[in-house]
Amino acid sequence: MTAQTPTTAPADDAPLEVPVLDLSGMRRPDGSFDPDFLARLRHAAHHVGFFQIVGYGAQPGQVEDLFRVTAEFFARPEAEKMALHNQNSPHWRGYSAVAAERTQGRPDSREQLDFSPDREPVPAERIGADEQYWHLQGRNQWPAQMPQLEEQAMAWTALMDRVGEELLGALCVAIGLDEDHFADAFDRDRAWMAKLAHYVGGVAEAGSQGVGLHADYGFITLLLQDEVGGLEVRPYGQDEWLPVEPIPGALVVNLGEMLEVATDGYLMATIHRVQSPPEGVDRYSVPFFYSPRLDAVVDRVELPAELAAQARGVSDDPDNPMLASFGANMLKGFARAHPAVTQRFHPHLLG
């Protein structure tokens, strides 16, 4: 499909907020993208980097059932959860306990279960020095006592993969590209990531850090959060943190470093964090990271002159550089977030 030119959008000097977009109105009856939807999407993606979506196609009861089985899993005996410990996985898959994951060098007050597409691992002898990201491919770990957890989590990721594909196409058209601009990178074996997360308040080691400030390293993040709240974003050029108020059943969407690299900062991987809930309060979330193949390399796109003039450049951190190779960018993130796993299976990555 050819690119379309968005028409109207909120004024650039309007107060920043996290807008809500209805995906059911994204396309017109003839299948083309609605220009007004594209304008609002482009404004949100450029100025805030975060927005929420409704009308994305979840089945009745699907959200509630997913949260229910997630809470049931984290309420299981510690021994059952530790049997799925990610330190048993050279692919950084499985369970990690409260304060085991680190952001900005500090522990996060959440426990989680990480999973991705379940595939045969790549034999170590076939992985070259510049292809270390293939260590990320492998098998998931699920609780045998709860088959419904895998069933519902994987059904959710199938939906999220379709939503991510639609949104990426709309974003491309919104910035003057063809809808299928990134199709080659997403062809065949996509390496999406997902996790079930449980935030716990009152963890002395973590303090108020549910998850420390960071940007995501993929393309598009689709987050299902419960009604407790705690997610905050800091858009480009802003000093204040903007709360992302929970909307039951909505998805919070933010853009990752791959799109920031590709658009030279016109689309931003916005910094965000999660404040831990009060002691005695549980917070659950299910983030999904829509991602291409591990070996995909993202080149700079050619934006229309009007948009290129507004590109801010890549907000690179010399201690955490953004990489055009998706697999390398993802590996860097996992190696830092889970140093115990990295030390056990891939100590050379910590050098």
Side-chain angles (χ1 to χ4, degrees):
M1 297 182 65
T2 56
Q4 303 171 12
T5 302
T7 55
T8 60
D12 288 349
D13 58 353
L16 285 185
E17 59 181 12
V18 178
V20 180
L21 305 179
D22 187 342
L23 227 60
S24 66
M26 182 170 65
R27 292 185 185 268
R28 297 186 291 196
D30 64 0
S32 62
F33 287 108
D34 179 81
D36 289 334
F37 179 93
L38 292 181
R40 296 194 302 273
L41 175 65
R42 179 171 59 86
H43 184 274
H46 176 63
H47 290 281
V48 188
F50 269 76
F51 51 97
Q52 299 198 65
I53 60 173
V54 296
Y56 55 87
Q59 295 299 308
Q62 187 174 12
V63 167
E64 294 79 7
D65 288 345
L66 181 59
F67 274 135
R68 176 180 52 77
V69 296
T70 297
E72 288 175 2
F73 168 71
F74 288 116
R76 304 287 290 194
E78 195 70 15
E80 288 187 22
K81 294 184 290 185
M82 292 301 288
L84 311 174
H85 204 295
N86 66 357
Q87 291 184 33
N88 300 325
S89 168
H91 319 295
W92 292 270
R93 309 279 182 92
Y95 174 77
S96 54
V98 174
E101 186 176 25
R102 308 185 78 84
T103 308
Q104 296 287 329
R106 290 183 53 202
D108 298 327
S109 61
R110 69 175 176 184
E111 56 179 342
Q112 61 193 22
L113 186 72
D114 283 286
F115 59 104
S116 286
D118 194 85
R119 298 181 179 130
E120 285 288 344
V122 178
E125 62 271 17
R126 287 175 46 196
I127 299 177
D130 59 347
E131 298 178 326
Q132 294 295 299
Y133 49 77
W134 287 117
H135 290 299
L136 291 160
Q137 179 169 304
R139 296 298 190 185
N140 293 321
Q141 299 190 78
W142 295 103
Q145 307 92 332
M146 287 189 67
Q148 68 273 26
L149 185 70
E150 178 181 6
E151 178 184 345
Q152 294 195 28
M154 295 303 284
W156 183 256
T157 62
L159 172 62
M160 293 300 97
D161 193 58
R162 294 194 297 272
V163 173
E165 185 172 47
E166 278 282 273
L167 269 178
L168 182 58
L171 274 168
C172 285
V173 177
I175 60 174
L177 306 176
D178 289 338
E179 179 181 347
D180 61 354
H181 181 86
F182 292 108
D184 287 347
F186 285 84
D187 188 29
R188 302 187 309 279
D189 296 333
R190 298 173 183 174
W192 54 260
M193 303 166 285
K195 63 180 68 186
L196 308 175
H198 173 214
Y199 292 82
V200 182
V203 179
E205 186 181 1
S208 64
Q209 177 168 301
V211 175
L213 61 92
H214 66 286
D216 293 341
Y217 39 78
F219 266 74
I220 297 175
T221 301
L222 303 168
L223 170 73
L224 180 66
Q225 64 170 346
D226 67 9
E227 299 179 38
V228 172
L231 174 61
E232 299 175 337
V233 307
R234 192 173 67 194
Y236 178 84
Q238 302 295 308
D239 295 324
E240 301 296 323
W241 288 93
L242 190 63
V244 183
E245 301 294 347
I247 299 174
L251 295 177
V252 181
V253 183
N254 64 280
L255 310 182
E257 293 175 343
M258 292 290 96
L259 284 175
E260 181 167 330
V261 169
T263 62
D264 194 31
Y266 180 81
L267 301 177
M268 297 293 291
T270 298
I271 294 292
H272 52 287
R273 68 185 183 188
V274 178
Q275 300 281 47
S276 61
E279 187 170 1
V281 174
D282 297 299
R283 178 183 187 266
Y284 298 97
S285 70
V286 185
F288 175 88
F289 306 91
Y290 180 67
S291 307
R293 299 187 320 274
L294 284 170
D295 61 353
V297 175
V298 179
D299 296 322
R300 183 87 44 94
V301 304
E302 185 175 348
L303 295 173
E306 176 187 357
L307 303 187
Q310 301 174 50
R312 310 174 181 104
V314 175
S315 57
D316 227 347
D317 178 349
D319 294 325
N320 187 26
M322 295 185 191
L323 306 174
S325 162
F326 168 68
N329 216 39
M330 179 178 172
L331 179 66
K332 171 172 61 71
F334 267 89
R336 289 186 175 205
H338 299 281
V341 178
T342 310
Q343 181 64 53
R344 179 174 183 182
F345 293 104
H346 312 289
H348 62 284
L349 296 177
L350 295 173

